[in-house]
Amino acid sequence: MIEEKYAPHAIESKWQKYWEDNKAFKTDIDNSKPKSYVLEMFPYPSGNLHMGHVRNYSIGDVVARFRSMNGFNVLHPMGWDSFGMPAENAAIKHGIHPAKWTMENIANMTRQQKELGLSYDWDREVATCKEDYYKWTQWFFELFYKRGLAVKKKSAVNWCDECNTVLANEQVIDGRCWRCDHEVVKKDLSQWFFKITDYAEELLDDLKLLNGWPERVKTMQKNWIGRSEGLEFSFDVPCINAKLPVYTTRPDTAFGVTFVVLAAEHPMVEQLCEDNPKADEIRAFCARVRNQSDIERTSSESEKEGIFTGKYAINPFNGRQVEIWVTNYVLYDYGTGAVMGVPTHDGRDWMFADKYGLDKIVVINPKDKELKLEDMDDAYEEKDGVLVNSGQFNGMEMHDAVKAIMDYAEAQGFGSRHVNYRLRDWLISRQRYWGAPIPIIYCPDCGEVLVPEAELPVRLPEDVKFDAGSVSPLATSDSFVNCTCPKCGKPARRETDTMDTFLCSSWYYLRYTDPKNAAAPFSKEAVDYWAPVDQYIGGIEHAILHLLYSRFFMKVLRDAGLVKYDEPFTNLLTQGMVIKDGAKMSKSLGNVVSPEEIISKYGADTARLFIMFAAPPERELEWSDQGVEGSFRFINRV
Ligand code: ANZ
Ligand code: ZN
């Protein structure tokens, strides 16, 4: 029988040993060859490889080998995104130190990767939880701090009660925690932020440089950054002798305003409560709204609620006096936190006006028809039509009117054109143990002080209580917390929060170019030769998070003179999921096929061949036992 001649395990272990002994995939700078940097997203060391990993690495391995056979000098490294919560949860549950748990998982997964026969230069392996790596993550924090891009500020932040930590906006998916799916609540806390919003415009504009990225990923980033152009202008509020600025993307509807609405957090609410018989009621309403989650407040189905303040504002376009309301559907941290209400042309305002019996005025007619309020059962939101009931702007086409009305507001001096972004600053502090400590010291006299570079890394302490609750476990270590101020030498305290692990993964692809450098995160020579990554391969779930943060890092590092490129990843391939019986392979569904099982039965080449041939890399791959057997028979014949 033919099958007896093909002995995958004997062949594979023989060659894997040869590759290992001879460092077959070791790479160095070679200026005589064109370089190619091929990279798969590094994994979190959960303990075992799953088929998604196998697919990811098989695709990368094919590209890397193909390029080196074509004469390129190929960099193809592997490493570990090894800070993060599962290690800490294992410590709480089973009393194992996170470092031990992590290192054991790395050892097991490395063995599995080697059994897959992947062509990595193992001399370049990095692990973000090791001191020689997180020293540089802290160094980057300090770089951002010195450039004014790392700031501590108090704000209403996303909090997960299940994970006992704050979350970045990017980690809140439909109002829920990205990790545990728990509903996220708001808490007023003082936290560290990276000012990614300073780069909003460039992050958006430079998407056009990314010809090698899937359109879908670029669209997701574009929507996340959310640039909008409009008019900011002020209503007069005579009763308190103040101006109330609003932001609108539809200045053409300015004559249709019948009320204005404030976010519950808006500072003017308190001013309007002075000498106001309804003050207690208004304050109670605001307190209730603040406790609502963002899903409750922003979803299009959710109930629009409000309370009339009893006070009025004057529309500067037509002198009309309109009621000032406080609502749950205006967000405080977008635009000015106040909105002009135009029920006839905005769906949310329509629902709100219906509920509270507020006036409606049509100011845009579709080109071919005259709108009558009595026939309308929803707002007319199309950006198409002609102005009516709008004074000197009547009869104008709406796009022309947008410009004319903005010009008018600017000429009259009560408004100006404005660009707004939906992107918010990146919240990077976490109340968790297993991450890189933030290298800051608080001195009673000197305030916030950076740990001197020569003292990095700030090491994770060992004498901590892992289940510290809502404070960082680092706060339970006296030997860690108590220190002396590097400036004045007086007793001081260390910051006890650690950094979001997405910070560790925002620069790992640069460390691979020079992984053992003890004097710098990487040398100029190495990074200039190898970067940027020519082909990046990973899952679509990182379309915003990791890929946006890495782009931001690259731009800051470029501005600091450390790299000479604008973008980290020239070409991006987002591989499809591996599914079985119509669903994503997952433990909870019980439809997992373990790579180890397939390899022990058929060998790694069969597994890799099947994965590469069963579907195009970007598409879903349906697992098929017959397909695997077919691949095995094919290799037998070869
Ligand atoms: C009046 C109006 C009339 C609006 C109309 C729309 C249609 P984007 O494109 O996302 O920037 N808005 C402004 N600030 C807000 C806040 N803090 N919370 C909730 N909504 C807010 O959307 C801008 C539009 O969203 C603005 O234009 C404003 O409503 C609303 F027929 O102003 B518009
Ligand atoms: Zn959570």
Side-chain angles (χ1 to χ4, degrees), residues 226-231 233 246-254 257 263 298 329-349 363-364 379-381 383 420-422:
R227 182 181 196 276
S228 93
E229 274 179 28
L231 177 71
F233 73 96
V246 299
Y247 173 69
T248 180
T249 45
R250 294 292 307 274
D252 54 314
T253 64
V257 178
T298 55
Y329 73 93
V330 173
L331 299 175
Y332 179 52
D333 68 355
Y334 187 70
T336 63
V339 173
M340 65 182 209
V342 187
T344 40
H345 302 290
D346 181 282
R348 292 165 304 180
D349 296 343
V363 286
I364 312 278
Y380 173 69
E381 290 188 321
K383 288 182 185 156
N420 264 315
Y421 293 94
R422 211 154 268 285

Side-chain angles (χ1 to χ4, degrees), residues 384-402:
D384 187 33
V386 175
L387 270 69
V388 288
N389 298 321
S390 298
Q392 70 267 44
F393 303 100
N394 280 338
M396 261 187 162
E397 191 279 327
M398 79 126 306
H399 291 96
D400 296 336
V402 168

Side-chain angles (χ1 to χ4, degrees), residues 43-114:
Y44 179 78
S46 54
N48 279 291
L49 294 188
H50 56 63
M51 279 302 169
H53 292 125
V54 177
R55 190 175 194 198
N56 189 192
Y57 309 149
S58 298
I59 295 168
D61 206 48
V62 167
V63 177
R65 286 176 188 251
F66 181 73
R67 295 228 170 130
S68 70
M69 289 161 117
N70 277 284
F72 287 92
N73 187 27
V74 172
L75 175 59
H76 188 213
M78 180 43 68
W80 308 97
D81 188 10
S82 54
F83 271 140
M85 281 192 47
E88 197 166 339
N89 291 340
I92 295 172
K93 233 172 147 181
H94 309 296
I96 314 170
H97 193 279
K100 183 166 184 294
W101 186 87
T102 303
M103 288 310 166
E104 285 172 7
N105 287 350
I106 288 179
N108 191 49
M109 289 170 81
T110 305
R111 177 187 55 80
Q112 293 175 329
Q113 286 174 326
K114 290 188 175 168

Side-chain angles (χ1 to χ4, degrees), residues 160 162-163 177 180:
C160 175
E162 185 69 24
C163 297
C177 173
C180 71

Side-chain angles (χ1 to χ4, degrees), residues 160-165 167 177-182:
C160 175
D161 270 329
E162 185 69 24
C163 297
N164 260 323
T165 188
L167 299 169
C177 173
W178 69 302
R179 186 197 315 284
C180 71
D181 217 30
H182 214 76

